[in-house]
């Protein structure tokens, strides 16, 4: 990897971050807070939240086996995605490389930040050679984006491929494991000490069943986490989210139960889809959704909408022609989808 100073935008390196009132106060035993221009009434919502979410990071760190200093928390992992562009990519000069097809926000954030986006097409088993990703890079490539398990294809990118990119690319490699909790593949966050250029993303929006609270995580070296903290909004994770997340983290077995249920339903749904006369293929998946190729996906998508069942039409995405992406729901939601499909003519 290049020296981190050579990868970070110079204005970000030089940046003096905003210092908020709650950053300044570190002592114990204070009980009168007249430092942050808050309203003294309406406790506890009158107070700004902890800007570095220390309690929450300790709880997440215990579950994920990470030191709090290696954790960034954001308003969804989408916040971390945008911040990584803003930290590393100089607009209209730098570029990023990503697998294609993949999660759409990498390109949207690239476009917003005026950063060239270089997609590299997966093969027909939705895998890629590390060399193909490396060949797409040049001296202005700052980040390689690898989503694994990948959205919308559902599969994990081969471990050796990601390891090769981490070892051979001199810039930042982001491994987005938003769906990692549904997969048996070991998380790349365990390899953070080996690869200083690695950032691993995870979220409470999927297996943790908490998309509504908007809490995303990035795991990385303390130096990269410090940069994320420097650039984020001072109070980026609100108190209600911090409080709710702490309560949920107190019961990690609930998540295991949900994952088990979802995976059992996924097997049942895939088997049922394979029996549908218009189903051409169901792609292997490591996530809480699967991609399926149908005879006429747009028409089936519309038919389902008319029945009040919404799935994701991915027909216009490269390599996903005539494909729908189906999220695994509750048993009765899945049943409603299957019942509707069985009546499709
Ligand atoms: N990464 C991937 C691969 C996703 O599919 C999503 C959401 N669909 C996200 C990140 C963003 O998740 P959130 O902002 O809810 O944490």
């Amino acid at each position: 990897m290049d020296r981190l100073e050579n990868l970070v935008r110079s204005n970000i390196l030089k940046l003096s971050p905003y210092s908020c009132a709650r950053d300044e106060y570190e002592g114990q035993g204070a009980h009168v807070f007249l430092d942050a221009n808050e309203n003294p009434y309406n406790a506890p919502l009158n107070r700004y939240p902890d800007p570095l979410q220390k309690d929450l990071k300790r709880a997440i760190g215990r579950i994920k086996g990470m030191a709090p200093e290696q954790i960034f928390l954001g308003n969804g992992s989408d916040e971390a995605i945008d911040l990584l562009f803003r930290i590393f990519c100089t607009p209209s000069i730098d570029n990023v490389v990503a697998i294609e097809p993949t999660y759409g926000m990498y390109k949207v954030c690239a476009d917003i930040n005026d950063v060239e986006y270089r997609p590299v097409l997966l093969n027909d088993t939705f895998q890629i050679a590390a060399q193909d990703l490396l060949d797409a890079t040049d001296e202005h490539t700052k980040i390689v984006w690898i989503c694994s398990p990948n959205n919308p294809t559902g599969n994990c990118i081969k471990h050796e491929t990601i390891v090769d990119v981490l070892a051979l690319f001199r810039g930042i490699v982001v491994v987005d494991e938003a769906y990692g909790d549904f997969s048996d593949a070991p998380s790349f966050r365990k390899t953070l000490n080996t690869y200083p250029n690695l950032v691993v993303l995870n979220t409470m929006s999927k297996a943790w069943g908490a998309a509504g609270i908007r809490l995303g995580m990035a795991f990385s070296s303390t130096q990269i986490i410090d940069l994320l903290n420097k650039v984020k909004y001072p109070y980026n994770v609100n108190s209600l989210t911090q409080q709710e997340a702490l309560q949920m983290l107190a019961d990690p077995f609930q998540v295991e139960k949900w994952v088990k249920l979802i995976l059992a339903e996924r097997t049942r749904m895939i088997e049922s889809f394979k029996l549908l006369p218009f189903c051409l293929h169901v792609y292997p998946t490591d996530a809480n959704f699967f991609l399926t190729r149908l005879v006429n996906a747009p028409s089936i998508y519309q038919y389902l909408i008319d029945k009040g069942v919404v799935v994701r039409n991915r027909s216009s995405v490269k390599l996903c022609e005539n494909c729908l992406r189906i999220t695994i729901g509750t048993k009765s939601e899945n049943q409603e989808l299957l019942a509707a499909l069985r009546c499709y003519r």
Side-chain angles (χ1 to χ4, degrees), residues 76-78 81 103 106 147 151 176 178-179 203 205-206 214 216:
S77 38
D78 284 341
I81 294 169
Y103 179 45
Y106 314 140
C147 185
N151 176 6
D176 185 344
Y179 301 96
T203 177
S205 300
K206 310 296 173 185
R214 311 304 300 130

Side-chain angles (χ1 to χ4, degrees), residues 90-164:
T90 302
S92 70
I93 292 178
D94 288 330
N95 66 68
V96 302
V97 166
I99 59 173
E100 168 92 349
T102 194
Y103 179 45
M105 276 305 280
Y106 314 140
K107 179 170 189 320
V108 171
C109 289
D111 290 347
I112 290 170
N113 288 287
D114 198 11
V115 169
E116 185 196 346
Y117 185 81
R118 299 183 171 186
V120 185
L121 208 57
L122 298 172
N123 64 25
D124 54 8
T125 60
F126 297 144
Q127 292 295 336
I128 195 159
Q131 196 55 49
D132 289 345
L133 285 169
L134 295 168
D135 285 348
T137 66
D138 64 14
E139 72 274 23
H140 291 296
T141 307
K142 292 298 185 64
I143 306 177
V144 172
W145 295 89
I146 302 177
C147 185
S148 181
N150 188 30
N151 176 6
T153 59
N155 62 303
C156 282
I157 302 301
K158 280 195 185 126
H159 189 84
E160 311 83 78
T161 306
I162 301 179
V163 164
D164 286 349

Side-chain angles (χ1 to χ4, degrees), residues 6-272:
N6 297 337
L7 293 171
V8 177
R9 288 169 65 186
S10 53
N11 61 313
I12 302 295
L13 269 185
K14 282 187 264 164
L15 178 75
S16 307
Y18 176 72
S19 160
C20 50
R22 285 294 118 83
D23 275 333
E24 242 171 67
Y25 167 71
E26 274 291 345
Q28 294 286 313
H31 60 285
V32 178
F33 290 102
L34 305 176
D35 57 341
N37 299 346
E38 296 151 337
N39 184 327
Y41 308 110
N42 200 33
L45 294 182
N46 59 333
R47 298 296 175 196
Y48 282 107
D50 174 3
L52 289 174
Q53 312 99 17
K54 291 186 278 299
D55 290 345
L56 193 46
K57 283 181 185 167
R58 269 192 292 273
I60 289 174
R62 270 196 296 275
I63 288 174
K64 301 281 182 185
M66 289 282 118
E69 305 73 46
Q70 290 190 295
I71 305 173
F72 164 82
L73 297 180
N75 185 339
S77 38
D78 284 341
E79 180 181 358
I81 294 169
D82 184 52
L83 290 180
L84 288 163
F85 275 97
R86 288 160 61 196
I87 290 167
F88 291 107
C89 302
T90 302
S92 70
I93 292 178
D94 288 330
N95 66 68
V96 302
V97 166
I99 59 173
E100 168 92 349
T102 194
Y103 179 45
M105 276 305 280
Y106 314 140
K107 179 170 189 320
V108 171
C109 289
D111 290 347
I112 290 170
N113 288 287
D114 198 11
V115 169
E116 185 196 346
Y117 185 81
R118 299 183 171 186
V120 185
L121 208 57
L122 298 172
N123 64 25
D124 54 8
T125 60
F126 297 144
Q127 292 295 336
I128 195 159
Q131 196 55 49
D132 289 345
L133 285 169
L134 295 168
D135 285 348
T137 66
D138 64 14
E139 72 274 23
H140 291 296
T141 307
K142 292 298 185 64
I143 306 177
V144 172
W145 295 89
I146 302 177
C147 185
S148 181
N150 188 30
N151 176 6
T153 59
N155 62 303
C156 282
I157 302 301
K158 280 195 185 126
H159 189 84
E160 311 83 78
T161 306
I162 301 179
V163 164
D164 286 349
V165 176
L166 280 164
L168 298 171
F169 179 52
R170 42 148 207 82
I172 303 298
V173 179
V174 181
V175 180
D176 185 344
E177 296 183 350
Y179 301 96
D181 300 307
F182 298 102
S183 161
D184 287 336
S187 168
F188 267 88
R189 73 175 183 277
K190 306 282 179 200
T191 68
L192 277 174
N193 293 337
T194 313
Y195 303 111
N197 54 342
L198 171 61
V199 178
V200 177
L201 302 182
N202 195 204
T203 177
M204 290 197 70
S205 300
K206 310 296 173 185
W208 282 85
I213 70 171
R214 311 304 300 130
L215 189 68
M217 306 156 220
F219 305 105
S220 192
S221 67
T222 51
Q223 290 86 340
I224 293 176
I225 296 301
D226 286 348
L227 287 162
L228 286 161
N229 286 332
K230 193 166 152 176
V231 176
K232 75 180 183 69
Y233 285 164
Y235 304 106
N236 61 327
V237 179
N238 72 69
S239 351
L240 298 176
T241 294
Q242 294 193 41
Q243 191 188 317
E244 196 62 42
L246 272 169
Q247 270 175 28
M248 294 179 49
L249 289 160
D251 185 11
F253 299 113
Q254 179 59 68
V255 176
E256 278 179 30
K257 283 183 227 155
W258 283 331
V259 169
K260 261 199 196 126
L261 270 175
I262 291 168
L263 294 187
E265 273 298 287
R266 188 181 74 186
T267 307
R268 187 177 79 87
M269 289 298 283
I270 290 176
E271 292 315 309
S272 306

